[in-house]
Amino acid sequence: QAQLIESGGGLVQAGGSLRLSCAASRLAFSGYNMGWFRQAPGKEREFVASVSSFGGMTYYADSVKGRFAISRDNAKNTMWLQMNSLKPEDTAVYYCAAGSTLGRLTNGNTDYWGQGTQVTVSS
């Protein structure tokens, strides 16, 4: 069974930065499009960003454009989310996801999910 493990979450002040990592195992990583989603308390899980299997295409939610950057290294089976200029409304559990179809992944139809990492932004 494929495994996705997120790390890098934590507590940060507004305006600060965090870098999330997603390490994949037992997965043909380069064959999957990857994405980040988040879920805030009392809200539905929402799309944050996605990257195509070889990194050539990236997509972002409007709420994070210009502040977050998604990247991947297929040789390391790892994906990252660099989060800058963090706001309190970015507080959520962030999930890593893998999907065989980029469009479906962006809509939340994924093949695999990670367990999530908590990001808390204080004002």
Side-chain angles (χ1 to χ4, degrees):
Q1 179 72 7
Q3 192 172 30
L4 302 174
I5 300 177
E6 303 94 335
S7 61
L11 174 64
V12 63
Q13 288 189 329
S17 298
L18 282 174
R19 190 189 195 202
L20 304 183
S21 298
C22 172
S25 60
R26 298 190 291 275
L27 180 74
F29 187 74
S30 63
Y32 283 86
N33 305 287
M34 300 295 295
W36 289 97
F37 293 76
R38 67 187 182 186
Q39 187 168 20
K43 295 187 177 181
E44 293 187 353
R45 186 151 46 188
E46 64 175 2
F47 168 76
V48 175
S50 61
V51 59
S52 58
S53 57
F54 285 92
M57 294 184 290
T58 58
Y59 298 93
Y60 297 93
D62 288 343
S63 58
V64 306
K65 278 181 183 177
R67 300 188 298 121
F68 290 11
I70 189 170
S71 61
R72 65 187 293 166
D73 185 336
N74 287 348
K76 297 180 178 179
N77 287 355
T78 302
M79 173 183 65
W80 297 274
L81 184 68
Q82 178 67 44
M83 305 187 295
N84 300 325
S85 302
L86 282 162
K87 304 175 181 180
E89 51 264 43
D90 294 318
T91 296
V93 177
Y94 283 72
Y95 297 90
C96 168
S100 55
T101 304
L102 186 58
R104 293 183 64 201
L105 169 67
T106 304
N107 289 325
N109 291 317
T110 71
D111 295 310
Y112 303 104
W113 288 102
Q115 292 299 306
T117 185
Q118 177 70 46
V119 171
T120 303
V121 184
S122 63
S123 57

